[in-house]
Amino acid sequence: MEKTKYLLCAFLLVILIPLTACSNIGKTGQAIGDIINAQTIVLSEQDGGLIQAASEAAGALGGIQSAFYDDPGISVTQDNFIIIGTYNSATQAFSNPFITEYLHTNDFTSNTGAIILSGSLPRTYVIIVGNSVSLTEQAINIVKEYGMDNADGVTPARYFDELNWGFTRLDLGGNIVDHCSDGVKNSDEEDIDCGGFECSACVLPPPTIYAIRSLPSAGYVGQDFEVSLFVDVDQTNLPPSMYVHEQIPSGCVVKSTNPPRTLAPSGALEWYFSDVYGYSPITEDTTLYYIINCGGLSEYSFNGGFVEAQIGNRVPIPTNSITLSPVCTNSDGDAYNACDAAGNVIPGCGDLCDCDDTLDSVYPGAVEIPCDLVDQDCNHIDLCSCVDSDGDSRFAISVNCPSGDDCNDADSTVYPGAPEICDGKDNDCNSATGIDVNPAGVPLTKTEGCVQYGICSGSEKTCSNGAWSACSIVPGTEVCDSLDNDCDNEVDDGAGCVCAIGTSRSCSQNYQGICADGTEICTDGTAWAGCPTAQDEVCDGLSDENCDGAVDESCNTISSLITSTISSPRAQKPKVVIGVVAAASDNIGAIDVSGVTGITRTIMDNTVTNPTSQNLIIVGGPCANSVAADLMGVPYAAYGCEQGFINNQGIIKVMQTTPVGPFQIIVAGHSALDTRRAARVIARHNDFDFALTARQIITRGTGAGVNDVEIG
């Protein structure tokens, strides 16, 4: 009788029972947290038709293993479960006996399609049960799609609102109709749990909440100013979640806020007022403030702000704009305002500007004093008679230009101090030292363009009459004299200098792998020939085909393929293949494989064509899986299909010809339990990591349970 009371209280969402009857149990949880915390998916042997959907859900959630309810060591008090099954209305029984630990058959009404129920009685659990296999699969897929979005960081995730409760119900058409009943009176409910399934009848209307932004009526460019946000709240119906989002205009800097907040990476300020976000809820009209500085901007708009009254319900904050007055300066008091940094007029500060606001003798229209290096009238001309025609920053020699010293103002390569180049000109204007010579009077030389290897080292060109001579040393013909005669940085690399014609040596002197087989011969004195050439590596465990000294060094192992599958994007992961005619106990290992690798595509063996052309993980041996039989070359589900398997043993085997080609991993055993143990090794790959650095391993059962397994 005590157990009956315990179970009925756990399922207040289905039938109305006073809250006092539940004083000895924890409140039903939110399915989102319970799904993410789940560790094991539990089925019965009757649920073989649900394994494909359960395997894909395990891949989406990650870190989940499988179990049958009657496995050794499995108990409702032991673990955090996702319990899956179906309801038979004819026999009024659940396929999975674990469900009856939490749920009575008379709680599952005839018009219920499927339910997702979570709670903590006595451990965290999630029950997914439907009136048929297809309805249960639809409920499982809701959990799978939420898990995929949650893992990828997508916000908001699909079905977040539906699963953010302790209970979600689907009708007979597979449509979500209710999601409530958490055993307490929530902020959007009139009564505790709304009276069973009819949750929609008691949900209150959304609250009224909005914000108004206020800006100063005037200001100056570059000045700090205050922005306020008045948040108006309808206190008769406070929201279950609320936050204010204020987008800051580009180019502006937030100096301070009240209440304090830091700028988010998106360039926005956000104030949270909700238990949902871990902050105290808002209880009255509130004004938020922040100080901002927008630098040199004079006109800009505030838009993109909103108030989220409930998750997904956003009320925009009306757009505001402001225009700031320019800041004009006149430091020297000459009636003209200063120019900006680029020398242009600041808008609003007059038609002309002062190009030097530190001198009152400099302004537009002032009298220009010639050749004093000061532009008095701001027209960028000094009226100086000095001329620099060639643009080399040196003035031509002239009686009207005392500083002129350019001996050839028509040539930018000629001026005092210019580097002397081989052009027949007096580049440095120093006729005393001569033309085409360095400051010491020595003719110009250079090594550029001359080979500097071997006997050509030190070869150079000499300038004469504005032209470079040929290189002083040029390459010759290579001879065997221990010198580099042809100046190619190789000694004695000419004909007859490599080896003696007709001599031979073993290929193993210089090569490895298949390239070391045989003998090579010196044919004409210039090269050795005759050793095998390197080939692409073949994953056969026998030879070093690419001649690098290692056998199969680049071929994938069980460990490397598991690791790469876990880290690869979901769309690029391999598929898990299970047998269409196999028993549930032969296929359940697919859940362990998907749960650790994140694979969300599980297919039947009768849908696979040309398996060696695609990446697959095959669960089950030739007696249970036609793809395994095809790859291993043994009969499928017929006499002889067990050949190669020994009782209490299983195998994990990589089938891949080349390191970069498609791969297949066979996970199989002599019995269904042996197959499950092999799959559990993959699920616990971190425990067996060193042993999995092979392409094939043997697993051995050591007891009655699926976890009783060792390698070797």
Side-chain angles (χ1 to χ4, degrees):
M1 182 61 189
E2 183 61 28
K3 178 179 179 181
T4 302
K5 171 185 174 182
Y6 195 73
L7 297 175
L8 287 172
C9 292
F11 200 58
L12 280 172
L13 52 135
V14 179
I15 54 177
L16 289 173
I17 292 179
L19 188 61
T20 55
C22 304
S23 59
N24 63 334
I25 66 171
K27 91 168 195 180
T28 304
Q30 290 180 316
I32 285 178
D34 297 335
I35 289 168
I36 297 303
N37 292 328
Q39 298 173 2
T40 307
I41 289 179
V42 182
L43 304 97
S44 75
E45 287 281 0
Q46 301 178 49
D47 297 322
L50 297 174
I51 288 181
Q52 182 175 6
S55 173
E56 294 182 349
L61 297 174
I64 291 183
Q65 297 185 359
S66 68
F68 286 127
Y69 76 93
D70 56 355
D71 277 346
I74 294 297
S75 168
V76 293
T77 64
Q78 176 196 27
D79 213 341
N80 297 327
F81 292 125
I82 294 179
I83 305 169
I84 296 176
T86 57
Y87 175 71
N88 189 323
S89 57
T91 62
Q92 296 186 350
F94 296 112
S95 63
N96 190 335
F98 261 24
I99 298 177
T100 60
E101 296 289 335
Y102 303 103
L103 184 63
H104 280 281
T105 56
N106 59 2
D107 292 333
F108 204 84
T109 58
S110 60
N111 66 339
T112 300
I115 62 173
I116 304 172
L117 166 69
S118 73
S120 51
L121 187 72
R123 285 288 186 270
T124 300
Y125 64 89
V126 177
I127 296 174
I128 305 175
V129 59
N131 254 319
S132 65
V133 170
S134 63
L135 285 167
T136 302
E137 284 182 333
Q138 290 187 60
I140 293 173
N141 284 334
I142 288 175
V143 172
K144 167 192 169 183
E145 292 178 10
Y146 170 77
M148 291 172 67
D149 290 346
N150 184 71
D152 292 341
V154 177
T155 303
R158 286 172 289 182
Y159 301 110
F160 177 87
D161 291 337
E162 288 80 358
L163 295 176
N164 198 27
W165 302 79
F167 165 75
T168 299
R169 181 168 71 94
L170 282 67
D171 62 19
L172 294 176
N175 304 304
I176 295 176
V177 292
D178 291 308
H179 48 273
C180 65
S181 298
D182 58 0
V184 296
K185 180 179 183 296
N186 298 301
S187 61
D188 62 347
E189 296 176 350
E190 292 178 347
D191 300 301
I192 295 176
D193 292 338
C194 311
F197 282 130
E198 302 302 325
C199 301
S200 58
C202 70
V203 175
L204 298 178
T208 300
I209 184 166
Y210 62 88
I212 298 175
R213 183 187 301 104
S214 295
L215 304 175
S217 59
Y220 292 94
V221 173
Q223 180 184 45
D224 293 351
F225 63 90
E226 182 180 85
V227 181
S228 64
L229 293 167
F230 174 71
V231 183
D232 187 288
V233 179
D234 176 5
Q235 299 183 44
T236 63
N237 185 16
L238 296 177
S241 63
M242 194 277 281
Y243 77 96
V244 178
H245 174 98
E246 174 72 330
Q247 192 66 41
I248 303 303
S250 177
C252 299
V253 176
V254 176
K255 308 298 280 293
S256 63
T257 65
N258 186 19
R261 286 294 182 271
T262 57
L263 201 65
S266 62
L269 291 172
E270 294 181 337
W271 287 270
Y272 293 88
F273 300 96
S274 170
D275 290 331
V276 173
Y277 300 107
Y279 298 92
S280 300
I282 189 170
T283 58
E284 59 186 12
D285 294 348
T286 301
T287 301
L288 312 173
Y289 303 92
Y290 63 92
I291 304 297
I292 193 171
N293 189 301
C294 295
L297 298 178
S298 61
E299 184 173 354
Y300 41 89
S301 296
F302 290 77
N303 52 41
F306 61 83
V307 177
E308 183 173 277
Q310 291 177 309
I311 295 176
N313 178 19
R314 294 179 175 179
V315 180
I317 301 175
T319 298
N320 300 74
S321 61
I322 187 172
T323 301
L324 301 178
S325 301
V327 179
C328 304
T329 58
N330 183 4
S331 301
D332 56 12
D334 58 7
Y336 288 92
N337 291 312
C339 303
D340 64 13
N344 300 315
V345 174
I346 298 173
C349 294
D351 297 327
L352 299 173
C353 64
D354 191 337
C355 58
D356 187 346
D357 199 40
T358 64
L359 298 174
D360 60 2
S361 60
V362 177
Y363 54 85
V367 176
E368 186 71 27
I369 300 174
C371 212
D372 65 348
L373 302 181
V374 178
D375 180 17
Q376 280 85 3
D377 59 2
C378 294
N379 68 349
H380 310 296
I381 300 174
D382 193 27
L383 298 181
C384 186
S385 58
C386 291
V387 176
D388 179 16
S389 300
D390 55 13
D392 57 9
S393 300
R394 306 299 285 266
F395 297 124
I397 298 173
S398 169
V399 295
N400 296 321
C401 184
S403 61
D405 59 359
D406 192 340
C407 61
N408 186 350
D409 199 41
D411 191 332
S412 61
T413 66
V414 177
Y415 55 88
E420 196 71 27
I421 59 179
C422 185
D423 58 0
K425 303 174 185 177
D426 183 14
N427 304 96
D428 59 2
C429 294
N430 185 357
S431 58
T433 58
I435 298 174
D436 295 340
V437 295
N438 62 25
V442 178
L444 299 175
T445 61
K446 69 174 184 177
T447 59
E448 290 85 359
C450 297
V451 178
Q452 296 297 310
Y453 297 124
I455 65 170
C456 297
S457 178
S459 178
E460 63 182 10
K461 298 177 182 180
T462 303
C463 182
S464 176
N465 297 321
W468 292 105
S469 68
C471 294
S472 58
I473 307 173
V474 296
T477 301
E478 189 75 11
V479 295
C480 300
D481 59 356
S482 299
L483 298 176
D484 178 15
N485 309 97
D486 56 4
C487 305
D488 63 353
N489 204 28
E490 296 288 343
V491 176
D492 291 350
D493 59 334
C497 295
V498 173
C499 57
I501 297 175
T503 58
S504 63
R505 65 184 181 186
S506 172
C507 293
S508 62
Q509 288 185 236
N510 294 287
Y511 302 104
Q512 304 177 85
I514 65 170
C515 301
D517 297 334
T519 302
E520 59 180 348
I521 299 174
C522 181
T523 56
D524 60 0
T526 63
W528 295 92
C531 292
T533 57
Q535 309 294 320
D536 291 335
E537 192 73 11
V538 177
C539 300
D540 56 3
L542 300 175
S543 303
D544 173 19
E545 289 87 1
N546 63 2
C547 304
D548 64 351
V551 175
D552 291 352
E553 75 285 352
S554 57
C555 295
N556 286 303
T557 65
I558 298 170
S559 177
S560 67
L561 289 175
I562 292 174
T563 301
S564 64
T565 296
I566 291 172
S567 62
S568 63
R570 182 170 286 116
Q572 298 177 18
K573 293 179 185 290
K575 301 173 185 175
V576 175
V577 182
I578 59 178
V580 68
V581 299
S585 55
D586 287 308
N587 287 337
I588 193 172
I591 295 176
D592 295 76
V593 172
S594 298
V596 72
T597 59
I599 296 174
T600 58
R601 293 178 295 174
T602 302
I603 61 176
M604 297 299 180
D605 57 351
N606 61 351
T607 66
V608 178
T609 59
N610 195 14
T612 58
S613 66
Q614 49 190 312
N615 296 333
L616 303 171
I617 300 180
I618 301 97
V619 178
C623 296
N625 194 309
S626 61
V627 176
D630 184 17
L631 293 174
M632 297 182 71
V634 298
Y636 166 54
Y639 178 78
C641 65
E642 74 282 359
Q643 60 183 282
F645 292 89
I646 300 175
N647 189 34
N648 281 333
Q649 288 188 8
I651 65 168
I652 303 174
K653 182 177 183 179
V654 174
M655 310 284 283
Q656 187 181 33
T657 303
T658 63
V660 296
F663 69 85
Q664 302 82 43
I665 303 177
I666 295 177
V667 183
H670 183 269
S671 66
L673 179 57
D674 293 330
T675 297
R676 291 183 64 192
R677 287 170 174 154
R680 187 56 57 88
V681 167
I682 291 182
R684 294 169 50 198
H685 66 96
N686 287 328
D687 297 336
F688 302 99
D689 189 56
F690 180 76
L692 298 183
T693 57
R695 292 174 56 81
Q696 175 176 325
I697 63 168
I698 300 297
T699 63
R700 288 186 170 85
T702 60
V706 67
N707 282 310
D708 301 328
V709 61
E710 64 182 15
I711 304 297

